[in-house]
Amino acid sequence: MVGKQNFSYVAQQYNVSIAEAGVESAKVFPDPQLSIGFYDNQQASKHLGQGYNAGIGSTLELGGKRKSRIDLAQSQLQLSKAMLQDYFRNLQADATIAYFNALQQYNLLQVQQSSYVTMEQLADADAIRFKLGAITEVDARQSKLEAGSLLNSLYQNEADWKTALVQLSINTGKAQSDTLLTPISNSDNLERDFALGTLITNAQDNRADILAAINSKTVADKNLQLIRANRKIDLGISAGMQYNGESTNTIAPTPAYRSINAGISIPLKFSNRYKGDMKAAQYSIMQAAVQYDQILLQIQAEVIQSYFNYKAAEKQVSQFKSGLLTEAQKVLTGKIYSYKRGETSLLEVLNAQRTYNDVQQNYYQSLFSYAEALVNLERSAGIWDIQ
């Protein structure tokens, strides 16, 4: 849906269409010029005759200017395609992270919902126990206060979740204000077996931004070729016909006649003494080469950093799955049971509840960080296998 309906991506696709139109424009030949004139030499009683002339002229481009224009336009088209591919590479990564964030916010909402329900049930039970004289009024008020506090947090978690869903609608170009898209899968299938060296090599060979950098170098080269071609002279060619009517004056009578002419014009390229445009084009080539080397180095750094972040996130999630969640839940269940039997204080129950909440929240946040780390690693490596 993002690939088909995202407004920003659709707008970026027009850059390719514009570049394709630029190729068509580069194929244009110089337009010919048609000239037509009429004259009348009648002056008082002197019959000097009438006439007209017509001609056509054009510019004959030399030095391969048209071919250089087409080559430059085609290289700009390839650059636009590479930049569009790189835009989508980042777009799909950002959209995937937004998807995993919506999952995380839903899980955090469920944690808060479960905590509130547990505390609300405990508060209701404490109200009854207070009436029976089993606990003090302070304990009953405290449990009710904790339930109210959790309810306020629940409202905020619900807002965070719906805000995350709104971002999904933005990414997919959905305009309905009364409908929100909801993720339907989880983020458990995140394990990958990557080789760092292979990732770096693949990224430096295939990533869309490195392809764009290569095309930038090509564009700079083609631009210099066009500038050199434009410094070559162009010939102006022309051909025409002139008709002079009969002159009947008594001093110099002349019969009607026609004449044909043809010619060429050669520009004097004094402007070629100034080479600022060529120097600028040569500097652009050098700049593109340096930028290419910088992108290679940046890609290597991004892959290495993303790889270390991914491995760290993998270890953190593994730590949670090794028993932290189960242990925290067992502690909370035991504390609630003991509290109901009057064997422990409400404070211990609240501490156990907060600990359990923190462990669950940290788990889902770590799971999101794990998913985000995988997305960023694949983004930086120029690969994609997330389904």
Side-chain angles (χ1 to χ4, degrees):
M1 293 173 68
V2 170
K4 294 179 180 178
Q5 300 171 189
N6 181 271
F7 289 131
S8 296
Y9 183 55
V10 172
Q12 290 293 324
Q13 290 175 346
Y14 283 109
N15 288 334
V16 175
S17 300
I18 293 171
E20 290 173 343
V23 175
E24 291 298 315
S25 298
K27 296 177 181 180
V28 174
F29 290 95
D31 291 322
Q33 297 175 344
L34 177 66
S35 61
I36 299 176
F38 172 79
Y39 62 89
D40 184 357
N41 287 330
Q42 300 296 333
Q43 186 177 15
S45 60
K46 299 177 181 179
H47 304 286
L48 300 179
Q50 300 173 330
Y52 63 86
N53 56 66
I56 187 169
S58 185
T59 300
L60 181 62
E61 291 184 318
L62 303 178
K65 292 182 179 65
R66 180 173 179 269
K67 180 179 183 302
S68 297
R69 284 199 306 270
I70 295 173
D71 290 344
L72 176 59
Q74 289 176 338
S75 64
Q76 289 172 333
L77 172 60
Q78 295 304 315
L79 176 59
S80 296
K81 290 180 177 180
M83 293 179 68
L84 178 64
Q85 184 181 353
D86 187 55
Y87 185 88
F88 183 73
R89 175 182 70 92
N90 286 297
L91 175 63
Q92 72 175 357
D94 292 339
T96 304
I97 290 174
Y99 184 91
F100 285 130
N101 181 54
L103 285 174
Q104 175 195 213
Q105 296 302 329
Y106 176 75
N107 289 329
L108 294 177
L109 174 63
Q110 293 300 105
V111 170
Q112 202 67 22
Q113 174 75 28
S114 176
S115 299
Y116 168 69
V117 170
T118 300
M119 188 54 63
E120 180 68 13
Q121 292 173 348
L122 190 60
D124 291 341
D126 281 354
I128 297 174
R129 294 173 66 197
F130 167 65
K131 291 179 180 180
L132 297 176
I135 61 173
T136 65
E137 183 180 4
V138 173
D139 285 341
R141 287 179 179 275
Q142 180 69 30
S143 58
K144 184 177 181 180
L145 180 63
E146 290 292 334
S149 178
L150 287 174
L151 181 59
N152 278 338
S153 298
L154 179 62
Y155 291 149
Q156 184 58 54
N157 280 103
E158 185 177 15
D160 292 341
W161 174 55
K162 290 183 178 179
T163 300
L165 297 184
V166 170
Q167 184 60 50
L168 296 186
S169 297
I170 294 175
N171 290 339
T172 54
K174 289 291 184 180
Q176 294 92 338
S177 59
D178 59 345
T179 304
L180 292 175
L181 297 172
T182 305
I184 59 174
S185 64
N186 57 42
S187 53
D188 287 339
N189 187 24
L190 302 174
E191 294 81 10
R192 301 289 191 278
D193 185 16
F194 290 125
L196 181 57
T198 303
L199 289 177
I200 294 174
T201 301
N202 183 79
Q204 291 181 333
D205 289 342
N206 301 315
R207 237 174 72 164
D209 54 345
I210 199 65
L211 298 179
I214 294 173
N215 281 291
S216 294
K217 293 170 62 177
T218 304
V219 168
D221 290 334
K222 298 298 183 182
N223 184 54
L224 178 60
Q225 292 177 17
L226 177 59
I227 290 174
R228 285 174 173 167
N230 285 336
R231 295 175 70 85
K232 304 292 177 56
I233 64 171
D234 293 331
L235 293 180
I237 56 175
S238 61
M241 182 195 74
Q242 181 174 337
Y243 170 78
N244 290 280
E246 180 183 7
S247 174
T248 60
N249 69 88
T250 57
I251 299 176
T254 306
Y257 67 92
R258 293 182 177 86
S259 63
I260 297 175
N261 61 76
I264 62 172
S265 61
I266 302 175
L268 303 177
K269 298 283 286 186
F270 295 120
S271 59
N272 281 353
R273 294 176 54 194
Y274 302 96
K275 300 182 179 181
D277 52 351
M278 287 189 63
K279 290 180 180 179
Q282 289 167 346
Y283 290 141
S284 295
I285 291 175
M286 289 185 273
Q287 182 186 53
V290 174
Q291 290 174 338
Y292 173 79
D293 293 336
Q294 172 60 28
I295 291 175
L296 283 177
L297 183 61
Q298 183 65 32
I299 286 175
Q300 177 177 311
E302 287 180 8
V303 173
I304 294 174
Q305 291 170 344
S306 299
Y307 179 80
F308 288 149
N309 288 333
Y310 173 74
K311 299 306 289 185
E314 184 179 51
K315 293 176 182 177
Q316 291 171 355
V317 171
S318 177
Q319 180 73 5
F320 280 102
K321 290 182 177 181
S322 66
L324 283 178
L325 286 169
T326 304
E327 290 299 318
Q329 185 177 26
K330 289 180 179 179
V331 170
L332 175 61
T333 302
K335 290 295 183 181
I336 293 176
Y337 178 76
S338 299
Y339 176 69
K340 290 179 178 179
R341 292 171 58 88
E343 297 174 355
T344 188
S345 66
L346 178 61
L347 180 60
E348 293 182 74
V349 175
L350 297 178
N351 286 335
Q353 180 69 65
R354 292 191 183 99
T355 299
Y356 182 52
N357 285 357
D358 289 343
V359 170
Q360 288 187 96
Q361 290 170 355
N362 289 336
Y363 168 68
Y364 288 121
Q365 289 167 355
S366 296
L367 200 60
F368 169 70
S369 297
Y370 189 23
E372 185 180 32
L374 175 61
V375 171
N376 286 329
L377 178 56
E378 297 206 353
R379 184 211 307 249
S380 63
I383 59 177
W384 195 257
D385 66 355
I386 300 174
Q387 300 296 330

